[in-house]
Amino acid sequence: MTDYENDLVILGGGSGGYAAALRAAGLGLTVTLVEADELGGTCLHRGCIPTKALLHAGEVAETVRTAGKLGIGAEFTGIDVAAVQKYKNAIVSRLHRGLAGLVGVNGITVVKGYGTLVDGHTVMVDGDAVRGEHIVLATGAAPVVPQAFALSSTVLTSDQALDLDRIPDSAIILGGGVIGVEFASMWSSMGAEVTIVEAADRLVPAEDPELAARLQRAFKRRKIVMRTGTMMTGVTSSDAGVEVALDDDSTIAADVLLIAVGRAPVSGSLVESGIEIDSAGFVVTDDRLRTSIDSVFAVGDLVRGPQLAHRGFAHGVFVAEEIAGTNPTPVDDDGVPRVTYSQPEIASVGLSEAAATVEYGGDVRTVTYDLAGNGRSQILAASGLVKLVLAPDDRVLGVHLVGEHVGELIGEAQLLTQLGVPATDAARLVHAHPTQGEALGEALLMAVGAPLHAHS
């Protein structure tokens, strides 16, 4: 394709990087992937996969504790943390081996080492130059640690928390977004006393307020303490625990403090290369993910928008196809589904009610169906809701859900929002009974004025 040794050099082997590598190789491009750590990046090793494995372990613990309500004589005897970590690590290891095999059979060259972008065609790795016609930046993001906090054995980021050799008796979580909420849910399920400190007036502030209210109600029942609208002003830590000061002059003590205030792009090394970086450290790109250097693209958490592994996958595939000249459709952030894997789960896709009102005016309407009317939800002892946001022409603009395992419904919801399906057409779909998917169908029936298991 060119005189360069590679058609494509990718800096970073996480979700965006390896997706770009696999798709580019499938399109016949020569690819070198540079990775300082392990293939799979944060998602596989320090994020999505290990977190959800621990959340599942916590869910099993909750199930055993409450089995008597179903007439099952199970007994909860405690958490074997070493065995739980072994279970988690085995899943990560299997997926890593599978990914390494995929990369190998696709003829992708992997260079192990810390890469630095030098110019539009060159990445330096431990003194050696790796050159390509195009370069993809996929260095991802890392946990934010405010300057006032020093990490220690009791002040942790999610990276350290995933490998704890114990379940803390008590934990304070700074930040009530996705990461904070998931750790709160997991630690609470495993027996810890948890307090969340969130500066905003509610948990998961990026989600619909009705979803946040249901989540907070469920957390309150689980005795998770929530200090919303509250700032943390200081922390004192030792090997024995932490004490934090709040802006209302109160203090809280616990075994550990988890800092979960977000993740920042790993872009510091790019400044000297001429790549434009914004004030928050994100790489500036056009709508086709091209940076200020024409031959260089950026994907995933480096690009401002939802910091989600599947967005990284989509970015990687898009850039590979763009470089190959297939003229792909850009990734629409509004169409990227979001799931928070707490108990209960939160899932959403498309426009929020507020965003839709800004775009379409006051004619936007919403429909809310309570899971109390859903048979499968009653079997699962699950509460929650389905909320639809509808355009003036009745197209489904957004779907927002809260309840047990509602993340499994987000695929259908994504089709509704991204294909511009009118509620009148979608309401004709027949959903299997008894499933929680029926709740989405019931909401659609309500939207067209023909509710079956709901009051009109």
Side-chain angles (χ1 to χ4, degrees), residues 180-217:
V181 161
E182 289 186 348
F183 269 92
S185 189
M186 182 262 290
W187 275 338
S188 177
S189 293
M190 292 185 175
E193 295 181 357
V194 179
T195 299
I196 303 173
V197 178
E198 167 56 48
D201 62 356
R202 57 189 171 90
L203 300 185
V204 288
E207 296 292 348
D208 185 281
E210 290 185 65
L211 305 189
R214 289 298 185 105
L215 176 69
Q216 291 178 193
R217 194 181 307 168

Coordinates of all heavy atoms in Angstrom, one line a residue, residues 180-217:
G180 N -18.0 4.4 41.2 CA -18.3 4.5 42.6 C -19.5 3.7 43.0 O -19.5 2.9 44.0
V181 N -20.6 3.7 42.1 CA -21.8 3.0 42.4 C -21.6 1.5 42.3 O -22.1 0.7 43.1 CB -22.9 3.5 41.4 CG1 -24.0 2.5 41.3 CG2 -23.4 4.9 41.9
E182 N -20.8 1.1 41.3 CA -20.6 -0.4 41.1 C -19.8 -0.9 42.3 O -20.1 -2.0 42.8 CB -19.8 -0.6 39.8 CG -20.7 -0.4 38.6 CD -20.1 -0.8 37.3 OE1 -18.9 -1.0 37.2 OE2 -20.8 -0.8 36.3
F183 N -18.7 -0.2 42.7 CA -18.0 -0.7 43.9 C -18.8 -0.7 45.2 O -18.7 -1.6 46.0 CB -16.7 0.1 44.1 CG -15.5 -0.4 43.4 CD1 -15.2 0.0 42.1 CD2 -14.7 -1.4 44.0 CE1 -14.1 -0.6 41.4 CE2 -13.6 -1.9 43.3 CZ -13.3 -1.5 42.0
A184 N -19.7 0.3 45.3 CA -20.5 0.4 46.5 C -21.5 -0.8 46.5 O -21.6 -1.5 47.6 CB -21.4 1.7 46.5
S185 N -22.0 -1.2 45.4 CA -22.9 -2.3 45.3 C -22.2 -3.6 45.6 O -22.7 -4.4 46.3 CB -23.5 -2.3 43.9 OG -24.6 -3.3 43.8
M186 N -21.0 -3.8 45.0 CA -20.2 -5.0 45.2 C -19.8 -5.2 46.6 O -20.0 -6.2 47.2 CB -19.0 -5.0 44.2 CG -18.2 -6.2 44.3 SD -16.7 -6.0 45.3 CE -15.8 -4.9 44.3
W187 N -19.2 -4.1 47.2 CA -18.7 -4.2 48.6 C -19.9 -4.4 49.6 O -19.7 -5.2 50.5 CB -17.9 -3.0 49.0 CG -16.4 -3.1 48.5 CD1 -15.7 -4.2 48.3 CD2 -15.5 -2.0 48.4 NE1 -14.4 -3.9 48.0 CE2 -14.3 -2.6 48.0 CE3 -15.6 -0.6 48.5 CZ2 -13.1 -1.8 47.8 CZ3 -14.5 0.2 48.2 CH2 -13.3 -0.4 47.9
S188 N -21.0 -3.8 49.3 CA -22.1 -3.9 50.2 C -22.6 -5.4 50.1 O -23.0 -6.0 51.2 CB -23.2 -3.0 49.8 OG -24.4 -3.2 50.6
S189 N -22.7 -5.9 48.9 CA -23.1 -7.3 48.8 C -22.2 -8.3 49.5 O -22.6 -9.4 50.0 CB -23.2 -7.7 47.3 OG -24.1 -7.0 46.6
M190 N -20.9 -7.9 49.6 CA -20.0 -8.8 50.3 C -19.9 -8.5 51.8 O -19.0 -9.0 52.5 CB -18.6 -8.7 49.6 CG -18.6 -9.3 48.2 SD -17.0 -9.3 47.5 CE -17.3 -10.2 45.9
G191 N -20.7 -7.6 52.3 CA -20.8 -7.4 53.7 C -20.2 -6.1 54.3 O -20.2 -5.9 55.5
A192 N -19.7 -5.2 53.5 CA -19.1 -4.0 54.0 C -20.1 -3.0 54.2 O -21.2 -2.9 53.6 CB -18.1 -3.5 52.9
E193 N -19.8 -2.1 55.2 CA -20.6 -0.9 55.4 C -20.1 0.2 54.5 O -18.9 0.6 54.6 CB -20.6 -0.4 56.9 CG -21.2 -1.4 57.8 CD -21.1 -0.9 59.3 OE1 -20.5 0.2 59.5 OE2 -21.6 -1.6 60.2
V194 N -20.9 0.8 53.6 CA -20.5 1.6 52.6 C -21.1 3.0 52.7 O -22.3 3.1 52.9 CB -20.8 1.0 51.2 CG1 -20.3 2.0 50.1 CG2 -20.1 -0.3 51.0
T195 N -20.3 4.1 52.5 CA -20.8 5.4 52.4 C -20.3 6.0 51.1 O -19.1 6.0 50.8 CB -20.3 6.3 53.6 OG1 -20.8 5.7 54.8 CG2 -20.8 7.7 53.5
I196 N -21.2 6.6 50.3 CA -20.8 7.3 49.1 C -20.9 8.8 49.3 O -21.9 9.3 49.9 CB -21.8 6.9 47.9 CG1 -21.8 5.4 47.7 CG2 -21.3 7.6 46.7 CD1 -22.8 5.0 46.7
V197 N -19.8 9.5 48.9 CA -19.8 11.0 49.0 C -19.8 11.5 47.6 O -18.9 11.2 46.8 CB -18.6 11.5 49.8 CG1 -18.6 13.0 49.8 CG2 -18.6 10.9 51.2
E198 N -20.8 12.2 47.2 CA -21.0 12.7 45.9 C -21.3 14.2 45.9 O -22.2 14.7 46.6 CB -22.1 12.0 45.1 CG -22.6 12.5 43.8 CD -21.5 12.7 42.8 OE1 -20.7 11.8 42.6 OE2 -21.4 13.8 42.2
A199 N -20.5 15.0 45.1 CA -20.7 16.4 45.1 C -22.0 16.9 44.5 O -22.6 17.9 44.8 CB -19.5 17.1 44.4
A200 N -22.5 16.1 43.4 CA -23.8 16.4 42.8 C -24.9 16.1 43.7 O -24.8 15.5 44.8 CB -23.9 15.7 41.5
D201 N -26.1 16.6 43.3 CA -27.3 16.4 44.2 C -27.9 15.0 44.1 O -28.9 14.7 44.8 CB -28.3 17.4 43.9 CG -28.9 17.3 42.5 OD1 -28.4 16.5 41.7 OD2 -29.8 18.1 42.2
R202 N -27.3 14.1 43.3 CA -27.8 12.7 43.2 C -26.7 11.8 42.7 O -25.7 12.3 42.2 CB -29.0 12.7 42.3 CG -28.7 13.2 40.9 CD -30.0 13.3 40.1 NE -29.8 14.0 38.8 CZ -29.5 13.4 37.7 NH1 -29.3 12.1 37.6 NH2 -29.4 14.1 36.6
L203 N -26.9 10.5 42.9 CA -25.9 9.6 42.3 C -26.1 9.5 40.8 O -27.1 10.1 40.2 CB -26.2 8.2 42.8 CG -26.0 8.0 44.4 CD1 -26.2 6.5 44.7 CD2 -24.7 8.5 44.9
V204 N -25.2 8.9 40.1 CA -25.1 8.8 38.6 C -25.7 10.0 37.9 O -26.7 10.0 37.2 CB -25.8 7.5 38.1 CG1 -25.0 6.3 38.4 CG2 -27.2 7.3 38.7
P205 N -25.1 11.2 38.1 CA -25.7 12.5 37.6 C -25.8 12.5 36.1 O -26.5 13.4 35.6 CB -24.7 13.5 38.2 CG -23.5 12.8 38.6 CD -23.9 11.4 38.9
A206 N -25.1 11.6 35.4 CA -25.2 11.7 33.9 C -26.4 10.9 33.4 O -26.8 11.0 32.3 CB -23.9 11.0 33.3
E207 N -27.1 10.2 34.3 CA -28.3 9.5 33.9 C -29.6 10.2 34.3 O -29.6 11.2 35.0 CB -28.3 8.1 34.6 CG -27.2 7.2 34.2 CD -27.2 6.7 32.8 OE1 -28.3 6.9 32.2 OE2 -26.2 6.2 32.3
D208 N -30.7 9.7 33.8 CA -32.0 10.3 34.0 C -32.3 10.4 35.5 O -32.1 9.5 36.3 CB -33.1 9.5 33.3 CG -34.5 10.1 33.4 OD1 -35.1 10.0 34.5 OD2 -34.9 10.7 32.4
P209 N -32.8 11.6 36.0 CA -33.1 11.7 37.4 C -34.0 10.6 38.0 O -33.9 10.3 39.2 CB -33.7 13.1 37.5 CG -33.2 13.8 36.3 CD -33.1 12.8 35.2
E210 N -35.0 10.1 37.2 CA -35.9 9.1 37.7 C -35.1 7.8 38.0 O -35.4 7.1 38.9 CB -37.0 8.9 36.7 CG -38.0 10.0 36.7 CD -39.2 9.7 35.8 OE1 -40.0 8.8 36.1 OE2 -39.4 10.3 34.7
L211 N -34.1 7.5 37.1 CA -33.3 6.3 37.3 C -32.5 6.5 38.6 O -32.4 5.5 39.4 CB -32.4 6.1 36.1 CG -33.0 5.9 34.8 CD1 -32.0 5.5 33.7 CD2 -34.2 5.0 34.7
A212 N -31.9 7.7 38.8 CA -31.1 7.9 39.9 C -31.9 7.8 41.2 O -31.4 7.2 42.2 CB -30.5 9.3 39.9
A213 N -33.1 8.3 41.2 CA -34.0 8.2 42.4 C -34.3 6.8 42.7 O -34.3 6.4 43.9 CB -35.3 9.0 42.1
R214 N -34.6 5.9 41.7 CA -34.8 4.5 42.0 C -33.6 3.8 42.5 O -33.7 3.0 43.4 CB -35.3 3.8 40.7 CG -36.7 4.2 40.3 CD -37.8 3.8 41.3 NE -39.1 4.1 40.8 CZ -40.0 3.1 40.4 NH1 -39.6 1.9 40.5 NH2 -41.2 3.5 40.0
L215 N -32.4 4.1 42.0 CA -31.2 3.5 42.5 C -31.0 3.9 43.9 O -30.6 3.1 44.7 CB -30.0 4.0 41.6 CG -28.6 3.5 42.0 CD1 -28.5 2.0 41.8 CD2 -27.5 4.2 41.3
Q216 N -31.1 5.2 44.2 CA -30.9 5.6 45.6 C -31.9 5.0 46.6 O -31.5 4.7 47.7 CB -31.0 7.2 45.7 CG -29.9 7.8 45.0 CD -29.9 9.4 44.9 OE1 -29.2 10.0 44.2 NE2 -30.8 10.0 45.8
R217 N -33.1 4.8 46.1 CA -34.1 4.1 47.0 C -33.7 2.7 47.3 O -33.7 2.2 48.4 CB -35.5 4.1 46.3 CG -36.6 3.8 47.2 CD -37.9 3.8 46.4 NE -38.1 5.0 45.7 CZ -39.1 5.2 44.7 NH1 -39.9 4.2 44.4 NH2 -39.2 6.4 44.1

